[in-house]
Amino acid sequence: MAGILAWFWNERFWLPHNVTWADLKNTEEATFPQAEDLLLACPLAFCIFCIRLLFERFIAKPCAMGLKIQTNGPQKAQPNAILEKVFTAITKHPDEKRLEGLSKQLDWDVRTIQRWFRQRRNQEKPSTLARFCESMWRFTFYLYIFTYGLRFLKKTPWLWKTKECWYNYPNQPLTVDLHYYYIVELSFYLSLLFSQFTDMRRKDFRVMFLHHLTTLSLITFSYVNNMVRVGTLLMCLHDAADVLMEAAKMADYAKCQTLCNFLFAVFAILFISSRLGVFPVWILNTTLFESWEIVGPYPSWWLFNLLLLLLQVLHSYWSYLIVKTACRAVCRGKVSKDDRSDMETSSDEDNGLLANQKPHSSATNGTNNKTHEANGYAPCTEEHH
């Protein structure tokens, strides 16, 4: 174990030339980032998750009820023992061959069976109320942490001159405010990583999971090798657009369409300009070129910049989704469905098919003859994160 730890914490990987871990030990005069500080993020992430549950129940939910957010979830699929067995035990997305077999067995047409599976999948999605509570929690946190970060950075020299991130690097003392900023951000994203498995699942689940891992890696690596100055710039830049994103979603859930459209437009402009403009010009420029000039490259420097470039790829992907949503909004006159949402919809033609379809006897298919109308889409207006 000692050998593995010595290999992992190899100074020649983590630190610039002629710098050792002994140079970054805490003294009475100065405090530096220590790897063991990050262990505090684990229990704090659990605390943040618990605070979220309390916030959603006692603050967000009453606000949603006051705004008359609907509490009911998607339309339930009509009971059918045969289809339910296939759905739970075999597949939630039957192929064409299985659909044809079920069609013959139930004497239903294929499109009605497809409709049933679509409704049944949507049935497992959270209600608009749950979505509003989740967005309100994220909005509150992003607003707090962005405000804190902005107030902190206004007092620092590296906000106005990014070369200050690298002068006397890595022998830059760690302040209490900077340490708090880092640990809270790390804890929040750690809680997001785990809550992603309990929150509503979206189409870009894997992309978001990759994003959270990349973010956690960047925060961890930048803390361990004391790149915290540029790290604070990166975190504050990302939190700015997230505030508007969650606000737009909340307005959408509350059916304040005009406000939603306005917030989404501002969010789209801010997101694309900050992630595709400011990020490469401001952040990548200082991490790739200014640091090369002042400090010079070393192994963890390459890894850090590789993660930043991966983050830029994710920014481009989400910018594409935002532009796609914006174009659809212009055509329809309003912001509508989130491209990341897994809430499935059906066409007007499908509505007619299900309404006109009359299943046969309950002895054959285990259902009654009552039909159901299609549920609407789940409105959402976000990139993410």
Side-chain angles (χ1 to χ4, degrees), residues 371-382:
T371 59
H372 301 269
E373 295 182 356
N375 59 288
Y377 64 85
C380 192
T381 60
E382 78 167 297

Side-chain angles (χ1 to χ4, degrees), residues 4 7 26-28 68 77 92 94 132 141 154 164 174 229 239 251 254 276 307 310 315 317 321-322 354:
I4 294 176
W7 169 81
N26 292 334
T27 64
E28 294 182 358
K68 299 181 179 179
K92 297 180 179 181
F132 179 89
F141 178 85
K154 284 173 61 178
E164 291 287 343
L174 179 71
R229 291 187 176 184
D239 291 334
L276 300 187
L307 289 171
L310 174 60
H315 291 166
Y317 170 74
L321 293 183
I322 291 171
L354 186 61

Side-chain angles (χ1 to χ4, degrees), residues 131-338:
R131 293 168 182 264
F132 179 89
C133 292
E134 177 189 340
S135 291
M136 187 172 179
W137 158 249
R138 295 194 182 194
F139 168 80
T140 303
F141 178 85
Y142 288 136
L143 181 62
Y144 164 73
I145 203 66
F146 172 70
T147 304
Y148 178 88
L150 198 59
R151 292 180 60 187
F152 166 73
L153 286 172
K154 284 173 61 178
K155 301 179 291 184
T156 64
W158 60 86
L159 174 64
W160 316 106
K161 186 179 179 181
T162 53
K163 285 188 176 181
E164 291 287 343
C165 294
W166 312 109
Y167 291 146
N168 197 36
Y169 174 83
N171 300 301
Q172 299 166 341
L174 179 71
T175 64
V176 175
D177 290 343
L178 202 160
H179 176 262
Y180 171 80
Y181 190 18
Y182 247 80
I183 295 300
V184 171
E185 283 272 18
L186 178 63
S187 302
F188 177 72
Y189 280 105
L190 191 60
S191 71
L192 284 186
L193 183 69
F194 294 114
S195 65
Q196 196 178 2
F197 296 94
T198 59
D199 291 342
M200 62 188 91
R201 189 183 181 94
R202 296 188 175 94
K203 292 180 181 179
D204 69 343
F205 173 86
R206 294 179 181 177
V207 177
M208 284 303 302
F209 189 76
L210 177 62
H211 171 268
H212 294 331
L213 285 179
T214 303
T215 302
L216 289 169
S217 299
L218 281 169
I219 295 176
T220 302
F221 288 168
S222 62
Y223 188 86
V224 168
N225 62 6
N226 204 16
M227 289 184 178
V228 290
R229 291 187 176 184
V230 72
T232 56
L233 299 178
L234 181 64
M235 292 188 297
C236 190
L237 178 67
H238 280 72
D239 291 334
D242 292 337
V243 176
L244 290 170
M245 173 188 67
E246 299 300 340
K249 290 169 60 182
M250 289 163 57
D252 194 10
Y253 298 144
K255 300 188 183 301
C256 300
Q257 197 62 51
T258 301
L259 178 60
C260 172
N261 292 345
F262 171 76
L263 290 172
F264 177 79
V266 178
F267 157 72
I269 294 171
L270 180 59
F271 181 92
I272 294 175
S273 62
S274 63
R275 307 295 174 93
L276 300 187
V278 178
F279 180 80
V281 173
W282 194 37
I283 301 296
L284 291 181
N285 176 65
T286 191
T287 60
L288 286 170
F289 303 110
E290 293 179 348
S291 65
W292 181 294
E293 176 186 346
I294 298 172
V295 180
Y298 50 97
S300 67
W301 179 93
W302 291 101
L303 178 60
F304 184 71
N305 280 287
L306 180 63
L307 289 171
L308 288 177
L309 292 173
L310 174 60
L311 197 59
Q312 183 61 58
V313 172
L314 296 175
H315 291 166
S316 301
Y317 170 74
W318 282 310
S319 295
Y320 160 75
L321 293 183
I322 291 171
V323 171
K324 183 178 178 182
T325 302
C327 292
R328 186 171 59 228
V330 171
C331 296
R332 297 183 180 180
K334 67 177 183 177
V335 178
S336 57
K337 184 183 174 184
D338 179 6

